[in-house]
């Protein structure tokens, strides 16, 4: 489970991250990463998940959500406090193992330069 201070809850925060963030697509997920203005919102890296009905029925969507939360929790300590991430599960992601999903998320973070010290 992600800590409450690390969860996105407002649709405006999701929309701003998707609109202004860098995008990285992979077979199981799409990552939108955005660096928020310091002090503009709550401190700490924030992560939001999007798992649509295209992924599967409710049981499958909840399983994928749990997988994504677990994977996101493993990288949250590596992020700067003003980083905002939206992770969107793609159809077919329910067939992806947690290890493969974690590798894809790390690759997406590297690609979008969301890690500390790598922003320009």
């Amino acid at each position: 489970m992600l800590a409450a201070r690390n969860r996105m809850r407002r649709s405006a925060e999701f929309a701003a991250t998707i609109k202004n963030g860098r995008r990285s697509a992979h077979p199981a997920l799409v990552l939108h990463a955005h660096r928020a203005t310091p002090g503009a919102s709550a401190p700490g890296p924030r992560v939001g998940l999007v798992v649509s009905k295209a992924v599967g029925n409710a049981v499958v969507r909840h399983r994928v959500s749990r997988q994504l939360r677990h994977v996101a929790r493993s990288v949250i300590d590596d992020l700067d406090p003003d980083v905002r991430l939206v992770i969107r599960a793609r159809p077919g992601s329910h067939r992806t193992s947690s290890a493969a999903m974690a590798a894809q998320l790390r690759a997406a973070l590297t690609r979008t330069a969301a890690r500390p010290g790598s922003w320009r």
Side-chain angles (χ1 to χ4, degrees):
M1 179 68 79
L2 285 170
R5 65 183 176 88
N6 295 124
R7 282 182 267 167
M8 268 191 215
R9 289 187 203 90
R10 296 192 173 130
S11 62
E13 201 171 2
F14 276 87
T17 302
I18 290 170
K19 181 180 177 184
N20 302 320
R22 295 179 185 173
R23 180 180 176 273
S24 179
H26 293 270
L29 56 88
V30 176
L31 176 74
H32 298 272
H34 177 64
R35 182 175 291 275
T37 308
S41 61
R46 311 264 298 200
V47 178
L49 304 176
V50 178
V51 184
S52 73
K53 286 185 177 182
V55 172
N57 65 19
V59 174
V60 171
R61 290 194 311 271
H62 286 116
R63 187 174 345 125
V64 170
S65 294
R66 286 191 304 272
Q67 258 185 320
L68 287 173
R69 274 195 305 270
H70 177 73
V71 168
R73 192 179 68 214
S74 70
V75 299
I76 202 85
D77 293 332
D78 299 339
L79 300 172
D80 283 341
D82 53 346
V83 171
R84 304 296 179 254
L85 302 177
V86 172
I87 305 169
R88 184 171 51 89
R90 298 180 85 177
S93 61
H94 64 280
R95 290 187 229 100
T96 306
S97 69
S98 291
M101 209 172 276
Q104 289 180 27
L105 180 60
R106 289 185 189 282
L109 285 170
T110 301
R111 194 167 173 196
T112 58
R115 290 205 169 156
S118 58
W119 290 83
R120 296 169 229 212

